[in-house]
């Protein structure tokens, strides 16, 4: 027999995974709004926060690609 904590945990997992795409879009929108003005993203997004522009213009990179920016911080 399941306990209330177990059922509550399952309900929370269901709620989070049911809306995963929406939640990920919201998180990306928040990240872009906070960071669109950074030197790195300005080079790709020119201050914009559009998800499609992000997907089109910002390349997938490695840690080594970002290391010079991190070292400056």
């Amino acid at each position: 027999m399941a306990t209330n904590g177990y059922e509550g945990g399952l309900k929370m997992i269901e709620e989070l995974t049911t809306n995963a795409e929406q939640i990920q879009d919201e998180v990306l929108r928040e990240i872009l709004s906070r960071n669109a003005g950074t030197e790195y993203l300005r080079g790709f997004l020119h201050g914009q926060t559009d998800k499609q522009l992000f997907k089109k213009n910002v390349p997938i990179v490695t840690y080594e690609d970002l290391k010079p920016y991190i070292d400056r911080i």
Side-chain angles (χ1 to χ4, degrees), residues 10-68:
L10 284 177
K11 182 177 180 187
M12 182 180 77
I13 290 170
E14 279 186 29
E15 288 173 359
L16 290 172
T17 57
T18 299
N19 300 316
E21 183 177 2
Q22 177 186 351
I23 291 168
Q24 288 178 350
D25 283 345
E26 290 173 12
V27 169
L28 179 58
R29 187 173 23 258
E30 181 65 27
I31 290 170
L32 291 177
S33 70
R34 288 183 181 192
N35 295 288
T38 63
E39 179 183 349
Y40 181 76
L41 286 180
R42 273 194 325 258
F44 300 107
L45 303 178
H46 311 289
Q48 301 286 321
T49 60
D50 179 66
K51 177 178 125 178
Q52 294 306 319
L53 186 64
F54 173 80
K55 288 171 64 174
K56 178 181 173 190
N57 291 348
V58 180
I60 296 173
V61 296
T62 66
Y63 174 82
E64 291 302 319
D65 296 324
L66 298 175
K67 191 171 183 325

